[in-house]
Amino acid sequence: MPNKPAFTGRRRKRTTHWNVRLSNSLAHVVIAVGGIGTIVAVSLVCLFLVWVVVPLFLPVQVGPEKAVSPGMKSGAHETGIENQENGEKKIVALGIDDYRLTAWEIAQNGAICVFRIDNGQILQQLTAEQTSLTGISAVSVAIDGQSAAFGFADGHVQLSDIRFNYQMVPSDQLPPAAQKLLPGEVVKLDDGSLVARTEQGDFRRQKFELKLQPPLAAANAAISRLDYVTVGSDTHICTLSADGKLRTNLLAVTHSDITDKDQSEFIGADLPLPKTVSTPPDYVLVSDRGEGVFIAWNSGRLLRFSTRNPRAPRLEEEVHLVSESGHSLTALSWLLGRSSLVAGDTLGRIRVWFTKEIGEADRLSDDVIPPDHRVLVAAHEFAAEGHAVTSIAASPRSRLIAAGFADGQVKLLYTAAERTLAELKCPHVGPVKSLAISPKGNCLLACTAAGITRWNFDAQHPEATLGMLFLPVWYEGHPQPELAWESTGSDASEAKFGLMPLVFGTLKATVYTMLFGAPLALLAAIYSSEFLQPRMKSRIKPTIEMMASLPSVVLGFLAGLVVAPFIESVVSQALTCVFTVPLSFLLGAYVWQLLPSDVVVRLSRFRLLFIFLMMPLGIFAGIRLGPLVEQWLFAGDIKEWLDGQRGSGAGGWVLLLLPLTALFTAVLIAQKINPWLRRRAAHWSRIQAGFAELLKFIASVLFAITLSFLVAWALDALKLDPRGTFVGTYVQRNALVVGFAMGFAIIPLIYTIADDALSSVPEHLRSASLGAGATPWQTALRIVIPTAASGLFSALMIGLGRAVGETMIVLMAAGNTPLMDLNIFQGFETLSMALATELPEAAKNSTHYRVLFLAALTLFAVTFVVNTVAEIVRQRFRRRAYEL
């Protein structure tokens, strides 16, 4: 289109210079690439998190079944030996090596057979004379399969170590046939050992070894049942002899510094069986640390004894594991850790029992309280399948168990989640007599009368179900189901991966941070935008913005090592200052109204200085009143009061109710007192109105305090105590310290964005409001703030996001305790804290590792949802602002 002539008659050249067009094109490309790249980067982060987390919920992988026939048949009880029937040789113990290559079985006559589990090839056959197991009458094998205890017909017991001796050997020390092995192949040597070529090309040699310890005289008759546990250098053994006596023994080994030799002491006593016991028990089990003995009968009756004093065992309680008439107990075994019993019955039902502390409900329902104040409870249950449970084996690595049934079916179960991982079927018809799980928890052997079946399996991550991650779980020894995060606790057999305590801690940190930082930042932004002189604002705003440059680690260091110890030493003074400092500011404002108008005009530019001068007054009042408040409200010691050691709950109610009664008083004054006061003050002078406002302020403060005392007295009369809710036991690193430190971190962000939003409100709106007779405060409250609501909301959301994702401050000042407690004086743990502290130490691709990535994904999802909701609300505020 040709250029039109200008009013002078000359044509003007209206073209854009090439460098401007080039800059514009480059800027367009850079912005587009940057925006798309940001979206792609965030999407890739999300996809990577999902990719790491998805395997948590994959089903168990089970390889094809493999029938193994080493030449010996199964059919023995785990804790005793059945009688020989029809000359059939029965297996009484079974185990697998670490590499799923070989297995061993011990027969009733003491013979041992070691065989390959891929083809059944026999590697070693040892007779009872060779193994020194002639005359064994009972066997108990540890859960890990690396030790056993043998009972003999003459009444003595021998402990043993069962292991495979692994050695990496040079190829030149092997026969030619072994040297030609390819990676993954194995070969048998003449001495019964097995040589395998690893994937790295090395040669690994393994051989079964049984090492018996010296015999111990445990009974005066043949031993028919026994169980044992080794704790450090001590071994606790419980035996049932043919004469019907149950005896607990302790083999204590101590080292003498004088002789430089180990000294052994074998002490014990008979269990005090009730007179109602007429038949020998069918099961004898010793708990962890040897502090308890459980004996049970096929009828379902179980007796629990305390053996903490081995010379004086004590009966604690009697429980019926099977209460249905006509049904009986068919299998009983320990779960990993020896604190939980797994019981199976003729119904096909499996239950997990463990002891817990007696709670109030137990005290009300039970007539007899056990002496140790613990009761045995059925915490987990798998529904009956109709076929009797015939055998149970526990995994040496997790809470996983294998259960065999009378119809030849085998199930892999994860007890804590009450989850069935896999259902398998033995090719041989008949009940499953015994089971064995490999030390690494990835191979299963099932024995029937016809032979042995092997399955290789990968349980994946059975402990990471949605229920265990986000719902209460009844953990071993705990009084009730609960939400817990304890990934690195002392009980490695039952890690607790409940994410809700971390989510709760994240929300707790965010709430207390926003309660402290958001009001200060917004009020500061409103003041600097609407009331502060531009010259002063140009200095103050950059100063506040510089606060954002402080590293989080510095704030966390100061909070954890300076602020937390200081507040701990002045708890009552700090709480009093929370009320006295705001009151001092309000008092200064009311005193300002008493000044003459000409003085106010002359000193108006120093008003901010006068406001800051009121802060020392408030702090001084808090320091002076703190000990008095502690004496009046908290019986002289606030920490002991918080811990419930002294005083009633009234003092805590007073402080908790003061903000609510103050708000109620403010609303009451605004609705009732102020209209009446405005009518009466129509002809008052400034000084008179100022005195009236000051008296009203003092009266409202006294009224709010009085009302708080009255309501607190009423709540205390109703036996309601605030301790255990928002207040409780004081811990040095707590939510109060975190709220203060993180509030200091988010104030610059919220203040800057909120001030920019308020400053962007068109000036003509302010002018119109002031011209209509509104005061600056009314203009700010009713015109400016609603117009800038979208920007203010964005400022709050950015501060919220900063608080949700903060790591270093909470890491150094929150105490790292994953508790679900609203107590402001208690610590917590957040999602980001768990990631920072535990991810570097988590084994790659382990359950712990993937759950931490799930925590990161949860944090990502929470932030995404919050930001999405914030954007929707912000757009709504913006549309409303355009209508003004």
Side-chain angles (χ1 to χ4, degrees):
M1 182 177 179
N3 293 331
K4 294 182 180 180
F7 69 93
T8 60
R10 298 179 61 184
R11 295 183 178 276
R12 298 179 60 188
K13 188 177 181 180
R14 298 174 181 268
T15 58
T16 304
H17 198 272
W18 68 269
N19 60 355
V20 176
R21 292 198 303 271
L22 179 61
S23 301
N24 184 60
S25 300
L26 289 176
H28 178 76
V29 172
V30 170
I31 293 173
V33 171
I36 296 173
T38 301
I39 295 174
V40 171
V42 174
S43 301
L44 289 177
V45 170
C46 181
L47 289 176
F48 176 74
L49 293 176
V50 172
W51 179 73
V52 177
V53 168
V54 163
L56 283 174
F57 307 104
L58 294 179
V60 62
Q61 298 177 0
V62 182
E65 64 186 37
K66 178 71 175 180
V68 183
S69 300
M72 299 177 73
K73 297 182 180 180
S74 68
H77 208 284
E78 293 183 5
T79 55
I81 297 180
E82 303 295 338
N83 294 327
Q84 187 170 338
E85 298 176 2
N86 303 323
E88 181 181 300
K89 195 176 292 184
K90 296 184 179 181
I91 298 173
V92 297
L94 181 66
I96 311 173
D97 75 330
D98 292 338
Y99 297 97
R100 301 183 299 184
L101 296 178
T102 59
W104 55 265
E105 56 186 18
I106 301 177
Q108 175 184 352
N109 61 358
I112 296 179
C113 178
V114 184
F115 58 93
R116 290 175 58 174
I117 59 176
D118 56 349
N119 55 18
Q121 180 186 17
I122 296 178
L123 303 176
Q124 294 176 266
Q125 276 191 316
L126 305 174
T127 63
E129 290 75 15
Q130 292 174 313
T131 60
S132 302
L133 295 180
T134 304
I136 63 170
S137 55
V139 177
S140 175
V141 181
I143 294 176
D144 59 5
Q146 296 182 1
S147 62
F150 298 95
F152 291 83
D154 60 359
H156 78 268
V157 173
Q158 279 189 275
L159 303 176
S160 67
D161 294 326
I162 302 175
R163 64 188 181 94
F164 285 87
N165 187 6
Y166 301 101
Q167 291 180 338
M168 305 302 293
V169 295
S171 60
D172 57 2
Q173 298 181 11
L174 296 173
Q179 296 178 9
K180 298 178 181 179
L181 292 176
L182 298 177
E185 293 182 343
V186 296
V187 67
K188 174 190 174 184
L189 300 185
D190 295 338
D191 61 351
S193 61
L194 199 68
V195 174
R197 187 80 179 267
T198 66
E199 297 296 333
Q200 293 76 24
D202 299 323
F203 293 91
R204 183 184 65 247
R205 181 178 179 178
Q206 62 185 62
K207 186 176 182 180
F208 175 83
E209 293 182 353
L210 174 66
K211 182 179 180 181
L212 291 174
Q213 298 181 15
L216 303 170
N220 296 322
I223 295 175
S224 56
R225 308 274 177 195
L226 86 159
D227 194 21
Y228 78 105
V229 63
T230 300
V231 184
S233 60
D234 298 338
T235 301
H236 301 263
I237 307 172
C238 185
T239 58
L240 171 64
S241 55
D243 56 5
K245 290 185 178 181
L246 273 163
R247 185 173 180 83
T248 177
N249 300 277
L250 171 62
L251 175 61
V253 179
T254 57
H255 183 78
S256 175
D257 295 332
I258 299 176
T259 62
D260 196 25
K261 295 182 180 180
D262 291 335
Q263 298 178 349
S264 300
E265 183 182 9
F266 197 54
I267 57 176
D270 294 336
L271 293 179
L273 294 175
K275 295 181 180 180
T276 55
V277 174
S278 58
T279 58
D282 300 291
Y283 305 88
V284 176
L285 298 167
V286 180
S287 69
D288 65 322
R289 298 189 299 276
E291 296 180 352
V293 171
F294 296 74
I295 63 172
W297 288 260
N298 287 332
S299 63
R301 183 186 183 186
L302 180 142
L303 299 179
R304 179 170 68 89
F305 293 87
S306 172
T307 55
R308 293 184 178 180
N309 183 357
R311 291 185 173 86
R314 181 180 63 191
L315 177 63
E316 297 290 349
E317 66 173 324
E318 178 178 343
V319 179
H320 290 277
L321 303 180
V322 182
S323 57
E324 293 81 2
S325 61
H327 294 279
S328 60
L329 183 69
T330 55
L332 187 65
S333 179
W334 284 119
L335 201 60
L336 177 62
R338 286 181 169 266
S339 294
S340 297
L341 289 170
V342 185
D345 53 34
T346 53
L347 290 168
R349 177 182 56 194
I350 296 175
R351 286 178 173 176
V352 178
W353 298 73
F354 54 73
T355 59
K356 72 178 187 72
E357 291 285 348
I358 295 178
E360 293 300 326
D362 302 302
R363 295 179 184 275
L364 295 175
S365 59
D366 294 343
D367 296 330
V368 179
I369 299 177
D372 63 351
H373 297 279
R374 300 187 67 87
V375 291
L376 195 66
V377 294
H380 305 288
E381 180 176 335
F382 294 88
E385 295 293 337
H387 296 279
V389 180
T390 55
S391 60
I392 295 173
S395 170
R397 300 191 66 174
S398 66
R399 317 298 286 184
L400 182 145
I401 62 170
F405 294 83
D407 62 345
Q409 187 180 28
V410 178
K411 289 185 178 182
L412 288 175
L413 310 172
Y414 192 77
T415 56
E418 299 181 9
R419 176 186 176 189
T420 301
L421 303 179
E423 296 184 2
L424 312 172
K425 185 70 177 179
C426 291
H428 309 294
V429 178
V432 179
K433 298 295 184 179
S434 59
L435 295 162
I437 300 177
S438 63
K440 294 184 178 180
N442 54 6
C443 182
L444 172 65
L445 292 184
C447 298
T448 63
I452 299 176
T453 305
R454 182 206 70 186
W455 292 273
N456 291 333
F457 67 91
D458 183 359
Q460 300 285 348
H461 308 281
E463 61 270 56
T465 64
L466 290 176
M468 295 194 70
L469 291 169
F470 296 102
L471 296 177
V473 178
W474 202 340
Y475 296 106
E476 184 179 86
H478 290 234
Q480 60 188 4
E482 61 183 35
L483 299 163
W485 171 269
E486 193 177 338
S487 58
T488 56
S490 58
D491 186 6
S493 64
E494 191 175 25
K496 304 171 181 62
F497 293 123
L499 289 178
M500 289 308 296
L502 304 184
V503 174
F504 180 87
T506 302
L507 296 178
K508 180 178 180 179
T510 303
V511 168
Y512 283 119
T513 298
M514 296 299 289
L515 284 177
F516 177 80
L520 291 179
L522 290 179
L523 291 174
I526 294 171
Y527 182 82
S528 63
S529 174
E530 303 303 315
F531 302 99
L532 191 61
Q533 292 184 356
R535 182 179 178 182
M536 186 68 69
K537 178 181 176 180
S538 65
R539 300 177 181 177
I540 292 178
K541 186 177 180 181
T543 303
I544 296 178
E545 291 174 345
M546 286 178 62
M547 293 166 52
S549 64
L550 285 175
S552 297
V553 66
V554 174
L555 293 176
F557 175 82
L558 294 175
L561 299 181
V562 179
V563 177
F566 174 74
I567 292 182
E568 184 183 25
S569 63
V570 290
V571 177
S572 59
Q573 291 88 336
L575 291 178
T576 308
C577 286
V578 171
F579 298 96
T580 58
V581 172
L583 287 177
S584 67
F585 284 136
L586 293 175
L587 179 62
Y590 283 106
V591 171
W592 182 268
Q593 297 183 56
L594 297 177
L595 299 177
S597 301
D598 56 341
V599 177
V600 171
V601 172
R602 288 196 302 268
L603 299 179
S604 59
R605 60 177 180 172
F606 303 108
R607 181 167 53 185
L608 182 61
L609 177 61
F610 284 111
I611 291 177
F612 279 115
L613 289 177
M614 297 304 297
M615 181 179 293
L617 177 62
I619 296 175
F620 177 77
I623 294 174
R624 299 295 295 179
L625 293 175
L628 298 178
V629 170
E630 185 174 24
Q631 185 65 39
W632 294 341
L633 300 182
F634 305 112
D637 193 322
I638 188 171
K639 292 181 182 178
E640 292 189 1
W641 181 89
L642 288 170
D643 204 31
Q645 300 181 25
R646 61 171 65 190
S648 66
W653 283 123
V654 170
L655 292 186
L656 290 175
L657 291 171
L658 267 178
L660 297 178
T661 56
L663 180 62
F664 172 78
T665 303
V667 173
L668 180 64
I669 291 176
Q671 298 293 329
K672 301 298 183 181
I673 305 300
N674 285 345
W676 174 82
L677 192 60
R678 280 195 295 269
R679 291 194 300 268
R680 296 293 302 269
H683 303 289
W684 288 357
S685 64
R686 174 183 174 85
I687 303 299
Q688 291 175 324
F691 271 113
E693 290 291 334
L694 179 60
L695 292 176
K696 181 185 70 175
F697 168 71
I698 296 174
S700 62
V701 170
L702 295 176
F703 176 79
I705 294 175
T706 303
L707 182 61
S708 179
F709 269 96
L710 292 176
V711 177
W713 175 81
L715 293 175
D716 187 61
L718 295 174
K719 305 300 182 182
L720 298 177
D721 199 318
R723 288 169 287 192
T725 56
F726 293 99
V727 295
T729 301
Y730 188 90
V731 178
Q732 185 186 81
R733 300 185 179 186
N734 52 52
L736 178 65
V737 176
V738 172
F740 175 79
M742 287 179 58
F744 188 84
I746 68 170
I747 282 175
L749 295 176
I750 299 177
Y751 168 81
T752 300
I753 299 174
D755 181 77
D756 292 341
L758 292 169
S759 300
S760 64
V761 174
E763 193 64 32
H764 66 270
L765 294 178
R766 292 186 181 86
S767 301
S769 176
L770 294 172
T775 64
W777 173 247
Q778 291 172 329
T779 301
L781 188 63
R782 300 182 183 182
I783 303 298
V784 178
I785 292 178
T787 305
S790 62
L792 298 179
F793 189 77
S794 297
L796 289 176
M797 289 300 103
I798 291 176
L800 181 67
R802 172 77 164 83
V804 169
E806 177 56 46
T807 302
M808 293 308 300
I809 295 177
V810 293
L811 182 63
M812 302 178 73
N816 199 23
T817 51
L819 302 175
M820 297 188 66
D821 191 349
L822 292 173
N823 179 12
I824 193 174
F825 303 115
Q826 183 63 268
F828 53 86
E829 185 174 3
T830 66
L831 292 166
S832 58
M833 289 172 64
L835 290 171
T837 57
E838 301 181 22
L839 190 57
E841 300 178 359
K844 187 176 181 180
N845 296 330
S846 65
T847 302
H848 184 201
Y849 176 85
R850 296 188 186 277
V851 169
L852 288 174
F853 272 86
L854 179 60
L857 185 62
T858 303
L859 188 60
F860 183 94
V862 169
T863 305
F864 178 79
V865 170
V866 169
N867 289 337
T868 301
V869 173
E871 182 62 20
I872 294 174
V873 175
R874 190 182 68 84
Q875 292 293 344
R876 181 177 180 182
F877 280 141
R878 175 173 292 183
R879 287 194 299 268
R880 292 180 59 185
Y882 285 155
E883 298 173 359
L884 296 176

